[in-house]
Amino acid sequence: MYQKRSEIVFWALPVEKALKELSSSETGLSNEEVKKRLSEYGHNEVKNKEQRSWLNILIYQFKNPLILILIFASLVSFFLGEKVDSLVIFSIVLINSLLGFYQEYRAEKAMRELRKYLSINTSVIREGTLIEVNAKDIAPGDIVSLGIGSIVPADIRLIIADDLTTNESVLTGESVPVIKKTDIVSEKHSLPQDLKNIAFMGTNVESGYGKGIVIATGENTFFGKTAAYLNQKEPEANFQKSMLNFGQFLLKIVILMTLIIFGINALLHKGILNSLLFALALAVGITPEVLPIIMTLSLSNGSLKMAKEKVITKKLSSVEDFGNIDTLCCDKTGTLTEGILTLKNFVNIEGLKDKKVLLYGLLCNSSRGSKGKLREVNSVDRALVESKDAKNLEKKTEIYSILDENEFDFTRRITSVLVIENKKNILIAKGAPESIIKASNYVFLKNKKTKITNSVKLTIQNKIKEYEEEGYKVIGVAEKPIDKKETDKNDEKNLVLVGLLLFSDPPKKTVKRSLKILQKLGIAVKVISGDSPIITRRICNEVDLKIAENKVLTGEQIDKLNEKELTEVCKKYNVFARISPEQKYKIVVSLNKEGHIVGFLGDGVNDAPALKAADVGISVHTGAGVAKEAADIILLKKSLRVLAKGIIVGRKTFGNITKYILNTISANYGNMFTVVVSSLFLKYIPLLPVQILLINLVSDGPMLTISTDNVDNEFVKKPKRWNLDLIFKFMLYFGLISSFFDLALIIPLIWVFKANNDVLRTSWFVLSVLTELIITFSIRTKLTFFRSKPSNSLLLSSILASVLTVVLPFTNFGKILFKLIPIPQSVIIYIGILLLSYFFVVEAVKRFFFKKFEV
C-alpha cells in the first residue's frame, strides 16, 4: 500500500490508518524493510544548492565581462585580417579559463569530500528499539522520535505531540514557534501553516516531545519542493563583505585607467582598433582574474588542512573568518571541563545521604518516559542512570508508573513527571536549584515538612553555595502530592524541596595550555555559561583563566542593562553565568557591533541563536542537530586545542591570499602607470595585446601554487582583517617602484641602446614577467627574504616560469605567435642589473612599509 503514498492526504487520516497505509507500526520498520524502501525510493536527501556541476564551473570562467569583451574584440580583429594575433589572444584566454576550471573543479571535489563529515543524525524506532541513524538513511514508514533541538529529518505525521512546538521559519518565514497536535486536519488544507499534525523536514523542535511516522522523504517533502528554500541567500560573512568591497575598489581603478589609456593612444593616432585591443588586454592583464581561483584553491586547501586537525568547514568563506577571530565566546561545560558528569552524592538539605533524592532523580529522568516515549538521554540523567547506586534502586523504580511529564526548557530550567505509587499520585520536579527553590514553599528538614521562610531559604542557599564552591554541579529535587492524572507546567508550584543531587565535571587536563595558545594568538576568551556563578568562577580559577576585575556577571544582572550598558559590560568583562539563550545571543550581537570578529563555540539547543549571530558559529559533531545546522564550523573533537590549530590554518590561508593580492596589485598597477607615461612619448603601443596576455598567463602560473606557501610564525600571532586603505597604499608604494624600473629600462633602450620597437617590447615583456616572479620572494614575508623559506611548489614553478620567459624570445614559437625577438646580450645584462636593483630596493622599502603600516 505504501507505494501510492504520494496520493494519500496523511494529515486527514487517523494515526492507525496512516500506519496501515505505510505498512508500519509504532514499533517501527525492520532493518530489511528499510533497505527495500531505500532501494526503491532513494535516500532522504535534498539536492545541495551549493554543489556545482562541472559545466557550471566551466561557464563561470567566462562570466568576467572583460574576458567576453576581449573575445569579441579578437573576433573583430580576426575578420579584419589579424588572424594569427586574434587566434593567439583567444587561445590564451581559453588556456587561462581551462586552468581556472581545473583548479575550481578540484576544489569543488575536495569540498564534497569534507561534506561527508557533516551528517545529521536522528533518533528512529526500528524493531521496537530506539537507535540513531544518519538522516539520509530514513525511509517512508520509519518511526521518528523528536525532542528539544531535533532537526526534523523528513515530513512526519505525528503520533504523539506532548507540548511539542516547532520553528518553521525555514519553510514559512514565520519565526514564532508552532504548536503541534495529533488531531486530524481537513484534507481541504494543504499549506504548511495549516497542517498542525505534520512536522516538516528542515524545521526544528523548540520545546516538548514528539513521535511520528515518516510520510515523505527527500525531494518529495514540502522542504524539498520549496523553491524559496533552494534560492534563499545566506547572510554575507565578514570575508564575503571584504571581498565585495575589494572587487568594487579594483573595478573603479581598472575602468578609470583603461579609459585613460585608450583615450591617450587613440588621440595619438595609434589606431582605434589597436588602441581598443591594447586597452582591453591591459585591463585583463591588470585585473587579478585568477584571484577567485587562487582564493577558492587556498580556501579549499585550508579546509582540507583543517579537516586533518579535526576541524570541518561547512562553507569555504568560513576558513578566512575562522582564522581572523579575535573574540571567542564559549560555554564552560565540555570546553573548559571534560563535559562528562559523574554523580558524587545525593543528599537532603541537612547534607545527609538520602536515597529518596536519588530515587526521584531516576524517576524524573529522560531515560524513562510516559506515553511510549523513547528519546535521547541528557548528560545529567545519563550520570544518574549509570551511577553505581542507581542499580540498587532498580526494583524500587519499577513500583512507580509514569502518567505524564513536562519537558525541560531553558526558561523554567525545570523538568517534572507525574508518577503513581499505590494509587497515590506524586509530581516530582528536578532542575536548577534556584528554580526549584523558587517553585517550593516547603522543605523536608529533620524528616519534617517545614515552611521555607527567609531564614530557611538563606540556609538552603548557603548549603548550595558550599557545594558549588567545592566544585559540584547542583541539581534540586522536589515533590508535591497531586490529585490529577495529567499535568502541565502550571503545576510546578507549591513544591516541597526534598534534596540535592551533586555531580562533578573536572577541568580538562589540556585546557590551561590551550588557553595560553589562544592568548598568544591574540584571541580574547569569554566564558558564557548557563551554570551557577560560583561553580563557573571555580572552574575559571582552576584553569588559570583570569576573570576581569574578578567579577562574574549573571543573567539577572544582564537583564537590568540597557543596550549601551550591555555593550560596555561585554567589552569589559569576560565571564558570564546563569545566562539564558536570549542573553547569549545579545552578548554575541553586542560584541559584533563593536567591530569584533566573534567566534561562538556551542553544541546545545540553547546555543543555536548565538551560533547564528556570530561571525563564525562553531559546533561539535556530537552536538544537537539545531546547533550543527546553525554552525559554520564543526569540530570532530570539542577541544580548545583543536580549535586553536584550526585558527592557525585559517590565518595561514588568509596570509597566502594576501601575498597574491599584494604581489599582483603592485606589479600590475606598476605596469599600468608605465603604460600611461610611456604612451605620451612612444609613437607605438609599448606592448602588443597578445604580449600583455602572455605576461598575465606566465606570471599567474606560479601564483596558483601560493596556497602551498609557508607562512611566517609572526604573521599568525594576531588576527588580521582586509584593509583596503593598506592595499591602496601598497599599490602606490610598490607600483611606483615597479614603474620606475620599467621606465629605467624603456628610456635607455630608446636613447642609449637605440632599440627598435620589437626589442623594446620583448625586453619589457621579459622584465615585467621576471620582476613579478622574483618580487614574490621579497614581499611574501616581513623578514629578510632568506630568513623565510618559500614552499617547494612556489619555488619550482617560479624557476620554470622564469626559464620559459627568458628562452621564449629565442624560439620560432615566440617569434611567430607573440612577436618576440632575441634580445641583444648588452640588453640582457642591463635587465639582470635592473632585476637585482629592483629586488634589493623592494627589500629596503618593505621594511619601512611594514613598520609604518601594520599588515
Side-chain angles (χ1 to χ4, degrees), residues 322-485:
F322 188 49
N324 291 336
I325 287 171
D326 60 33
T327 304
L328 175 67
C329 300
C330 63
D331 193 3
K332 167 187 67 65
T333 305
T335 306
L336 303 183
T337 67
E338 292 291 349
I340 301 170
L341 294 176
T342 306
L343 180 68
K344 290 297 182 181
N345 212 344
F346 37 94
V347 296
N348 57 30
I349 299 305
E350 296 158 83
L352 302 174
K353 188 167 280 196
D354 189 338
K355 287 185 180 180
K356 184 179 180 181
V357 177
L358 177 57
L359 174 65
Y360 278 4
L362 291 168
L363 292 170
C364 184
N365 195 292
S366 55
S367 66
R368 300 166 64 87
S370 64
K371 302 176 184 177
K373 293 183 183 179
L374 289 169
R375 64 228 167 150
E376 295 179 51
V377 182
N378 63 54
S379 58
V380 169
D381 291 343
R382 185 179 292 109
L384 282 166
V385 172
E386 292 176 356
S387 65
K388 292 179 182 178
D389 295 287
K391 293 176 183 177
N392 300 327
L393 293 174
E394 279 181 7
K395 289 183 180 179
K396 186 84 171 173
T397 58
E398 290 171 7
I399 298 171
Y400 294 81
S401 296
I402 296 174
L403 301 176
D404 199 5
E405 61 190 298
N406 297 307
E407 296 282 341
F408 178 87
D409 66 49
F410 295 98
T411 304
R412 292 159 36 247
R413 294 181 181 271
I414 290 177
T415 181
S416 60
V417 293
L418 179 61
V419 299
I420 183 169
E421 182 217 7
N422 294 329
K423 299 181 181 180
K424 181 183 174 185
N425 292 1
I426 306 168
L427 181 73
I428 300 171
K430 184 183 79 190
E434 60 268 36
S435 299
I436 291 291
I437 291 170
K438 191 175 179 181
S440 300
N441 286 353
Y442 298 91
V443 58
F444 277 113
L445 284 174
K446 297 180 181 178
N447 294 322
K448 286 184 180 180
K449 183 177 168 183
T450 305
K451 179 80 173 173
I452 297 181
T453 61
N454 288 336
S455 62
V456 171
K457 186 176 181 180
L458 186 61
T459 302
I460 297 167
Q461 288 172 335
N462 286 336
K463 195 71 179 174
I464 292 167
K465 185 179 178 182
E466 282 177 28
Y467 289 130
E468 288 179 337
E469 285 175 344
E470 290 173 24
Y472 292 117
K473 178 183 180 69
V474 181
I475 298 292
V477 177
E479 68 169 355
K480 178 172 95 171
I482 188 169
D483 189 20
K484 292 172 73 174
K485 291 184 179 179

